[in-house]
Amino acid sequence: MEDNTPPFNSIFSIDCLVFGYEAGELKILLIERSEDPFKDWYALPGYIVQQEESLDHAAERTIFELTGLRDLPMKQFHTFGDVDRHPKGRVITVGYYALIRINAQKELRSISSMARKALWHPVKTLPKLAFDHSDIFHTGFAKIRRRLTHQPIAFDLLPEKFTLTQLQGLYEAILDKKLDKRNFRKKMLSYGYLKELVEKQRGVSYRAAKLYKFDRRKYAKIFQNEMGPSAAQQ
Amino acid sequence: MEDNTPPFNSIFSIDCLVFGYEAGELKILLIERSEDPFKDWYALPGYIVQQEESLDHAAERTIFELTGLRDLPMKQFHTFGDVDRHPKGRVITVGYYALIRINAQKELRSISSMARKALWHPVKTLPKLAFDHSDIFHTGFAKIRRRLTHQPIAFDLLPEKFTLTQLQGLYEAILDKKLDKRNFRKKMLSYGYLKELVEKQRGVSYRAAKLYKFDRRKYAKIFQNEMGPSAAQQ
DNA sequence: GCAAAAGTGTTAGTCCTACACCCATGA
DNA sequence: TCATGGGTGTAGGACTAACACTTTTGC
């Protein structure tokens, strides 16, 4: 790692875990760094927080600039402040996560001059990341896994209309274990916030499955007290 | 609020929620500010994070300087970074909490020149706090309430030896609701991490209750997977 | 002996888990 | 007609919630 830029004093930044789900796999958005330190390494997309900008805003801006998506429910999960986490100076970073629908059509933009490109990478086979980004990933992913059981965050990853089997596949990908089909369906439907559509799956060479929608309105009514991150945005 | 000190640029700080339990009440450590802004207001004890100091270290230092207690399990819970949360400049602050045993003998020291004194204040009747400290309090307290049901954090607040009724009183103080005596005892004992002592309560004018200890070793064995904050320190 | 808290079981309802077969569809 | 996933019910065990009386102790 060569480095000839001058050192700096304290700054803060945000780093984002952006999860997506594609081809039955859970993926995360990474950038490939084009500058030292950690030139050519993969890293989490991150940004320095600007003087007149809240943390939440910085996180949303990062996602927007990478994916073109606005108003995503970004959630803070932990702040990393070890003295030596950045070789060039003191950087305290706030970890955020978002769960989004991958839009295969839309091209990813590089987030800054530091990044050669951005890409979706399966979480199952993540390489070592720059800085302490591997730690950040593990901390955040563990949090999401715990949250999944209590809050309806999975729907942010799926297309608007989905089958119960797709939903189950997603749960299995996040929790990394097989679930029982009958129990899973019973439980999901018992929550009462899935809306069954008349529309069915099309273009499959087997019995077409019913499609469902996540009904935010119903969810909010049912769980008025313990608001989930998805519900929080309305 | 008068203020004639010069403004500053970005700095980071930590603010601590230090909980204690005394006389059947849940209390929190506050300082009374002796300087503008928010002169004479109550505030959370907080500190600026020094250049060569990790966030965790700054939090532990704060507690040590106020209470003389070392090596407490300080836990980060959220970071607050709104642009205008401090009238004198940009201050991003990381919220930490700790649960400790109040030692009535030991006098509290003021944490800095900014604070006239430090005191234990019941959480039930908290006044408005300086800056956004009321928000910080509510966010952190909500987190602890949720955590209490899953993790054995209550024992940090009690004396080493305690009765089941004392333990129940503490749970009731934190959750702010009455619990059923028989069910509470059954459940607590079923966890298997309470050690019954031969020693009994003394000096009470009614049937003396059995004393118990929280057995960290047993707890760690039973819940090797999902480590709690108390277990984390060994 | 009285006041005050300690201590103790059972029942009904709910939730969780494990488990296997027939159905509808397109190729 | 076959391959593929879609869709369905039950029974046993575990956990939860509700509920009231007797025991021990110090004064």
Side-chain angles (χ1 to χ4, degrees):
Chain A
M1 273 186 320
E2 284 172 31
D3 192 357
N4 47 21
T5 52
F8 48 76
N9 282 320
S10 301
I11 55 179
F12 18 77
S13 65
I14 56 99
D15 283 300
C16 296
L17 296 176
V18 185
F19 289 92
Y21 184 59
E22 194 180 42
E25 272 190 318
L26 192 64
K27 298 187 177 176
I28 190 177
L29 205 49
L30 297 180
I31 57 168
E32 194 182 313
R33 289 178 60 85
S34 57
E35 284 183 13
D36 271 321
F38 291 101
K39 184 165 189 251
D40 302 327
W41 287 57
Y42 287 126
L44 297 175
Y47 240 72
I48 291 172
V49 178
Q50 290 169 3
Q51 194 56 226
E52 291 298 330
E53 169 184 62
S54 73
L55 297 173
D56 292 355
H57 184 266
E60 273 165 32
R61 188 165 48 83
T62 302
I63 303 301
F64 173 67
E65 290 175 356
L66 265 170
T67 68
L69 292 166
R70 272 188 202 282
D71 297 323
L72 284 170
M74 298 293 299
K75 285 277 162 183
Q76 196 193 105
F77 62 88
H78 195 80
T79 297
F80 300 83
D82 280 357
V83 173
D84 57 358
R85 57 173 298 281
H86 195 295
K88 286 168 74 178
R90 185 79 194 269
V91 184
I92 293 178
T93 196
V94 181
Y96 273 82
Y97 73 78
L99 308 172
I100 72 174
R101 293 194 244 279
I102 295 183
N103 184 338
Q105 276 70 281
K106 197 167 265 171
E107 217 181 316
L108 296 170
R109 306 175 219 179
S110 155
I111 192 173
S112 77
S113 61
M114 278 207 179
R116 192 173 298 126
K117 61 173 180 179
L119 71 160
W120 289 104
H121 198 292
V123 300
K124 278 264 197 180
T125 56
L126 267 201
K128 252 193 200 153
L129 302 179
F131 308 105
D132 58 352
H133 288 189
S134 293
D135 291 345
I136 296 177
F137 168 75
H138 287 297
T139 303
F141 190 34
K143 192 128 186 179
I144 285 169
R145 237 189 268 116
R146 266 176 276 131
R147 208 160 274 194
L148 182 68
T149 324
H150 308 296
Q151 298 186 331
I153 58 177
F155 306 103
D156 297 328
L157 290 163
L158 289 175
E160 206 194 351
K161 301 170 182 180
F162 51 84
T163 70
L164 290 177
T165 300
Q166 283 164 358
L167 184 62
Q168 182 177 345
L170 172 54
Y171 269 73
E172 289 177 342
I174 299 179
L175 300 174
D176 196 24
K177 67 175 176 191
K178 283 270 163 234
L179 301 173
D180 180 86
K181 183 160 71 160
R182 276 177 289 190
N183 293 336
F184 181 80
R185 286 163 176 247
K186 223 181 310 169
K187 198 163 159 193
M188 276 299 151
L189 293 175
S190 79
Y191 289 139
Y193 51 59
L194 290 186
K195 188 176 184 175
E196 186 180 324
L197 305 177
V198 286
E199 198 179 341
K200 294 200 169 176
Q201 223 177 3
R202 255 183 271 185
V204 289
S205 71
Y206 48 80
R207 178 174 175 179
K210 283 179 198 162
L211 289 171
Y212 290 83
K213 248 185 177 170
F214 175 56
D215 189 332
R216 290 209 139 74
R217 197 179 303 255
K218 268 191 201 154
Y219 174 74
K221 242 179 224 163
I222 302 171
F223 299 94
Q224 272 164 355
N225 305 323
E226 32 166 344
M227 295 280 263
S230 293
Q233 59 158 7
Q234 204 54 245
Chain B
M1 274 185 320
E2 284 172 31
D3 190 357
N4 48 19
T5 53
F8 48 77
N9 281 321
S10 301
I11 56 180
F12 16 80
S13 65
I14 55 99
D15 282 300
C16 295
L17 295 176
V18 185
F19 289 92
Y21 184 59
E22 196 180 41
E25 272 191 318
L26 192 65
K27 298 187 177 178
I28 190 175
L29 205 50
L30 296 180
I31 57 168
E32 193 183 315
R33 291 177 60 87
S34 57
E35 282 184 13
D36 271 321
F38 292 99
K39 184 164 189 247
D40 302 325
W41 286 58
Y42 287 125
L44 297 175
Y47 240 73
I48 291 170
V49 178
Q50 291 169 3
Q51 193 57 225
E52 290 299 329
E53 169 183 63
S54 72
L55 297 172
D56 293 355
H57 185 266
E60 273 165 33
R61 188 165 49 82
T62 303
I63 303 299
F64 173 67
E65 290 175 357
L66 265 171
T67 68
L69 292 166
R70 272 187 202 283
D71 296 325
L72 283 171
M74 297 292 300
K75 284 278 163 182
Q76 197 193 105
F77 62 88
H78 195 79
T79 296
F80 300 83
D82 280 356
V83 173
D84 56 358
R85 57 173 297 281
H86 195 297
K88 285 169 75 178
R90 184 79 194 268
V91 184
I92 293 177
T93 196
V94 181
Y96 273 82
Y97 72 79
L99 307 171
I100 74 173
R101 293 193 246 278
I102 294 182
N103 184 338
Q105 276 67 280
K106 197 165 266 172
E107 216 182 316
L108 296 170
R109 305 175 219 180
S110 154
I111 192 173
S112 78
S113 61
M114 279 208 179
R116 190 174 299 126
K117 61 173 180 177
L119 70 161
W120 287 105
H121 197 291
V123 299
K124 278 262 199 182
T125 56
L126 267 202
K128 254 194 199 157
L129 302 179
F131 308 106
D132 57 350
H133 287 188
S134 293
D135 291 345
I136 296 178
F137 168 74
H138 288 296
T139 303
F141 189 35
K143 192 131 187 175
I144 284 168
R145 235 189 269 116
R146 265 176 275 131
R147 208 161 275 192
L148 182 68
T149 325
H150 309 297
Q151 297 186 332
I153 59 177
F155 306 102
D156 296 328
L157 290 163
L158 289 175
E160 205 193 352
K161 300 168 183 180
F162 52 85
T163 69
L164 289 179
T165 300
Q166 284 164 0
L167 184 62
Q168 182 178 344
L170 172 54
Y171 269 73
E172 290 176 342
I174 298 179
L175 300 175
D176 195 26
K177 67 175 179 194
K178 284 269 163 237
L179 300 173
D180 179 87
K181 184 158 73 157
R182 277 177 288 190
N183 292 336
F184 181 80
R185 284 161 178 249
K186 224 179 310 169
K187 198 164 159 191
M188 275 301 151
L189 293 174
S190 79
Y191 289 140
Y193 51 58
L194 290 186
K195 190 177 185 174
E196 185 180 326
L197 306 177
V198 287
E199 199 179 340
K200 294 200 169 175
Q201 223 177 5
R202 257 183 270 186
V204 289
S205 71
Y206 47 79
R207 177 173 176 181
K210 284 178 197 162
L211 290 171
Y212 291 83
K213 248 185 177 172
F214 175 57
D215 189 332
R216 290 211 141 70
R217 198 179 303 255
K218 268 192 201 153
Y219 174 74
K221 241 179 223 162
I222 302 170
F223 300 93
Q224 273 163 355
N225 306 323
E226 31 167 343
M227 294 280 262
S230 294
Q233 61 159 1
Q234 201 57 245

